[in-house]
Amino acid sequence: MIAALRGTLVEKSLEEAIIDVGGVSYRVALSTLAIGKLPAEGQPVHVRVRTVVREDAFDLFGFLTRGEEEMFQLLNSVSQVGPRLAMTVLSGMEVPELVAALSRGEVARLTKIKGIGKKTAERLVLELKDKVKELHLEAVAQGATASPPAAGPMADLVSALLNLGYKAPQAEKAAELAGERLGPEAEFQALFREALKVLRSGA
C-alpha cells in the first residue's frame, strides 16, 4: 500500500490535490485545512497517505502530519464513520482542538462542524474520548487546555488563500467579506468556501 507521496503539486481544489510523482499523477483527498497549507501549484510537496480499497474504488487520503493521519484512523474506526466523513471532521477542526473536544466530551462543539449531527458527535465522544490520549501529537496538552485565539480562523483563512496563489490584498478583502457574511463564530471550512465565492465573483 502507498504510505507517502513526494513529488510536484499539479493541481488543488477544495477537497483534493493531484500530485505528480515521476510522471504518474495521483489524486489525493485531503481535509480543507490541509489543502489550505499546501504550497502553490508547481511546487514540491510531500504528504502521508492512507489507501482505502473497496470493491468499486481505490482511494488515497492524504495528511500533512502524523497526528492528522492517526486521528483519521481513529475517526474511521468509529461505527458508521467512513473515510469521507472522517475527512469532514478533520476539515472542520484542527487536530489539537479536536483532541480537546473529544477528551472533554464537548458534543455541542463537534456539532458545529458541517455535516456532523448530534448522534454522530455523541458516538465520536463515546468511542474516542479515551483513545485520543494515545495520539502522538505535538502540543496536544496545550491544545487540550486552551481554546484557539479568536483571530485564528481569519489568519488561517488569509494564509490558505495566499497558498492558493491569490495576492495579499485580494485574500485579506475576501476573508473580511466572508467574515462579515458568516459572522465571527463561523468555522474555518465555511469561511474558506465563502471567501472563494467572493474571489470568483470578483466582489
Side-chain angles (χ1 to χ4, degrees):
M1 292 296 179
I2 299 172
L5 293 174
R6 186 185 297 276
T8 302
L9 182 61
V10 176
E11 184 180 320
K12 56 184 174 181
S13 62
L14 285 175
E15 299 176 343
E16 64 182 24
I18 297 177
I19 301 173
D20 180 272
V21 182
V24 179
S25 293
Y26 295 86
R27 188 182 302 276
V28 185
L30 294 99
S31 71
T32 305
L33 293 173
I35 287 288
K37 297 173 184 176
L38 290 176
E41 294 176 356
Q43 296 299 310
V45 66
H46 174 256
V47 297
R48 303 171 70 95
V49 170
R50 283 285 173 171
T51 306
V52 177
V53 180
R54 298 175 297 176
E55 290 184 2
D56 59 342
F58 185 95
D59 296 322
L60 300 180
F61 294 87
F63 315 94
L64 300 185
T65 66
R66 179 181 178 182
E68 186 184 15
E69 182 180 3
E70 290 185 354
M71 178 60 80
F72 171 83
Q73 288 295 93
L74 283 180
L75 291 167
N76 200 29
S77 72
V78 174
S79 57
Q80 300 181 44
V81 176
R84 294 291 174 182
L85 188 55
M87 275 299 186
T88 295
V89 176
L90 289 172
S91 292
M93 197 177 289
E94 293 283 2
V95 175
E97 187 182 358
L98 183 56
V99 169
L102 289 168
S103 61
R104 293 173 180 170
E106 296 175 342
V107 172
R109 191 175 178 186
L110 293 169
T111 58
K112 291 183 179 180
I113 300 174
K114 185 178 180 180
I116 302 301
K118 184 178 179 181
K119 289 185 178 180
T120 300
E122 290 174 340
R123 193 180 307 118
L124 290 172
V125 168
L126 178 64
E127 298 190 32
L128 299 182
K129 185 173 184 178
D130 295 323
K131 292 181 180 179
V132 292
K133 299 174 183 177
E134 301 172 9
L135 287 177
H136 296 83
L137 296 170
E138 294 182 2
V140 165
Q142 178 181 357
T145 56
S147 298
M154 297 306 294
D156 289 343
L157 177 57
V158 172
S159 177
L161 295 174
L162 291 174
N163 284 336
L164 285 176
Y166 291 103
K167 302 297 183 182
Q170 290 178 300
E172 291 169 1
K173 180 181 178 181
E176 182 180 354
L177 287 173
E180 290 176 358
R181 292 178 182 180
L182 300 183
E185 300 300 321
E187 294 290 332
F188 174 85
Q189 186 178 20
L191 288 167
F192 188 46
R193 292 179 183 276
E194 186 63 29
L196 288 179
K197 289 180 183 178
V198 172
L199 289 164
R200 290 167 181 168
S201 68

